Amino acid sequence: MPIKDRRKTHKMQSICFHFCLFCVPTAAVCRRAGEALVIEEIEVAPPKAWEIRIKVLCTSLCHTDVTFWKLNAGPASAFPRIFGHEAVGVVESVGDNVEEVKQGDRVLPVFLPDCGECRDCKSTKSNCCTKFPFTHYNGMPRDGSSRFKDSNGLDMHHFLFVSSFAEYTVVDIANVVKISSDIPVDKACLLSCGVTTGVGAAWKVAEVEQGSTVAIFGLGAVGLAVAEGARLRGASKIIGVDLNPDKYGIGKQFGVTDFINPTNCSEKSVIEVIREMTDGGADYCFECIGLASLMKDAIDSSRPGWGKTVILGVEMHGWPLSISSTEILRGKTVTGSFFGGVKAKSDIPFFVKKYLHNELNLEGFVTHEISFQDINKAFDLLLQGKSIRCIIWMDK
């Protein structure tokens, strides 16, 4: 679908073809760390070879966006920037060498590349693409360059290879998944990061089996998605651990059977409570917050002999994780999980089918919907702990 050039200096609405013109949509731009986003006109370059330009239909806000939004130092901190990495859109135009999708296709941009060519992408053991490692934090994956310019012609920084807080964005073909148009766009949007990470961790990393016991530390979007994945795998007991008492009622929608609020554990530790509830320790534990202390609690709460702990949270303070060698010698295992072990191009269409067959609960994750112009409200809701996922509609 060609798009219209809306430059103020060009009063006539001219057709913008991908091979010759830049397009001028709007984006929610962050100029400085922690500052409110500002809706601005930007210039979006045409796609180069192996790239596509996407018209974003809707996007959502993830905790990772907020983490980097606050970040004011280090190589991953760069401003001005266009955040956003959970979205769904339609292919507007394609660059050379793109055969996987065509103009008009419904697609999901994802932050983790899936090139299909490197050793890791071809292996069933990993989803960490080695052809496109996270070398370029702030630009396109192949060369680190930008496809965005502000109204003054200055380059703007990308975010996680997606930058979906814009009406149009440019994404490498390795970061794009073609999906069925049968799934509602607001539900499809959820599968581009958080929900896929949690469900994938239960399915692909832990491989939760029928009748097993599960403990989840943190019932945010990822933790709830872990519960949903464990439910679908037939876990008999799914224990949610969270400081917010409202999360128990929410968690029940996704299969949480038991709930522990650490502030109410006055006589016993959370570890002791979980061990009692699971006859010695949970078969699978998931840490979804990003605190080394909770990672240790999760490991200590797992069952000796075969207990498996999956670390999903990024340690928010950069602290190391200390594990007792005795716990490991007793047969426990600890593993990390990036994007839930999911290979985007093959696994996300599978999750779409699960939803279309009424097996995967996606509706429960959407707590708010707002217009693109009100995008800062999404930040307020998440920071106040009021939303799980807020859908941001580009055309409302």
Side-chain angles (χ1 to χ4, degrees):
M1 291 179 290
I3 53 185
K4 295 176 180 178
D5 189 332
R6 297 187 296 181
R7 280 171 284 194
K8 294 179 181 178
T9 57
H10 196 311
K11 295 182 180 180
M12 295 183 64
Q13 291 184 326
S14 58
I15 298 300
C16 172
F17 294 97
H18 76 270
F19 55 83
C20 62
L21 292 178
F22 285 69
C23 69
V24 187
T26 59
V29 179
C30 184
R31 290 280 170 182
R32 294 179 182 83
E35 287 190 359
L37 277 55
V38 179
I39 304 296
E40 300 181 13
E41 279 194 347
I42 64 166
E43 227 179 40
V44 182
K48 294 183 179 181
W50 294 287
E51 296 175 358
I52 68 172
R53 188 158 63 187
I54 299 171
K55 174 180 172 57
V56 178
L57 299 176
C58 67
T59 183
S60 59
L61 180 65
C62 172
H63 273 286
T64 303
D65 294 300
V66 175
T67 298
F68 281 82
W69 169 67
K70 294 178 179 178
L71 200 63
N72 59 9
S77 175
F79 299 93
R81 192 173 215 169
I82 300 174
F83 284 104
H85 65 286
E86 287 191 350
V88 64
V90 175
V91 177
E92 177 268 332
S93 54
V94 303
D96 293 337
N97 305 320
V98 173
E99 299 178 354
E100 188 176 323
V101 298
K102 64 183 184 303
Q103 187 183 75
D105 283 346
R106 179 83 56 82
V107 292
L108 209 66
V110 292
F111 75 93
L112 189 66
D114 184 0
C115 74
E117 300 172 357
C118 70
R119 181 181 178 186
D120 286 76
C121 286
K122 289 181 177 180
S123 171
T124 59
K125 298 178 181 180
S126 171
N127 68 338
C128 295
C129 178
T130 48
K131 183 176 181 179
F132 300 112
F134 275 81
T135 304
H136 304 298
Y137 291 102
N138 311 315
M140 297 296 289
R142 293 177 191 263
D143 60 9
S145 62
S146 176
R147 300 294 174 269
F148 303 121
K149 291 184 182 296
D150 65 12
S151 58
N152 295 316
L154 300 176
D155 282 348
M156 309 183 75
H157 298 287
H158 290 238
F159 181 63
L160 292 182
F161 311 136
V162 176
S163 289
S164 60
F165 291 170
E167 291 179 304
Y168 288 84
T169 189
V170 177
V171 182
D172 194 279
I173 191 61
N175 294 83
V176 172
V177 180
K178 182 179 177 180
I179 61 170
S180 168
S181 59
D182 292 333
I183 182 172
V185 293
D186 55 330
K187 306 308 181 298
C189 177
L190 303 171
L191 294 173
S192 52
C193 182
V195 172
T196 293
T197 296
V199 174
W203 278 63
K204 302 201 68 176
V205 181
E207 296 183 306
V208 173
E209 73 273 0
Q210 186 83 23
S212 58
T213 58
V214 172
I216 305 166
F217 290 75
L219 292 181
V222 173
L224 292 171
V226 170
E228 176 68 4
R231 178 189 70 81
L232 289 170
R233 297 282 289 192
S236 62
K237 186 183 289 291
I238 302 174
I239 305 165
V241 182
D242 202 288
L243 293 171
N244 185 348
D246 295 336
K247 290 297 179 71
Y248 186 28
I250 296 170
K252 286 180 179 180
Q253 302 176 54
F254 302 97
V256 173
T257 59
D258 300 86
F259 184 77
I260 300 173
N261 186 336
T263 59
N264 297 332
C265 298
S266 55
E267 298 181 359
K268 297 179 181 178
S269 69
V270 171
I271 299 166
E272 291 174 315
V273 174
I274 291 176
R275 286 174 177 172
E276 289 181 0
M277 295 173 68
T278 57
D279 189 27
D283 298 317
Y284 302 98
C285 290
F286 299 83
E287 200 280 342
C288 306
I289 298 293
L291 286 172
S293 59
L294 290 182
M295 296 174 189
K296 186 177 184 305
D297 284 350
I299 296 166
D300 291 343
S301 300
S302 66
R303 187 174 190 83
W306 66 68
K308 187 172 188 177
T309 299
V310 181
I311 305 298
L312 294 168
V314 178
E315 220 298 325
M316 60 183 71
H317 305 295
W319 293 342
L321 173 61
S322 178
I323 306 173
S324 168
S325 60
T326 302
E327 295 296 307
I328 302 300
L329 288 171
R330 295 175 71 194
K332 296 182 179 183
T333 59
V334 182
T335 186
S337 173
F338 204 32
F339 199 36
V342 164
K343 290 182 181 293
K345 293 182 187 290
S346 56
D347 292 330
I348 288 179
F350 173 75
F351 290 152
V352 169
K353 289 181 180 178
K354 285 291 182 182
Y355 171 79
L356 294 175
H357 292 160
N358 297 315
E359 296 178 47
L360 179 63
N361 173 17
L362 294 179
E363 282 80 3
F365 291 97
V366 180
T367 54
H368 298 81
E369 298 185 37
I370 61 173
S371 69
F372 184 47
Q373 298 295 320
D374 295 325
I375 191 169
N376 287 299
K377 290 184 180 179
F379 281 76
D380 294 337
L381 290 166
L382 194 63
L383 290 169
Q384 294 166 10
K386 294 181 178 179
S387 73
I388 300 173
R389 277 296 183 267
C390 179
I391 300 298
I392 302 163
W393 291 97
M394 307 305 289
D395 59 351
K396 293 183 181 180

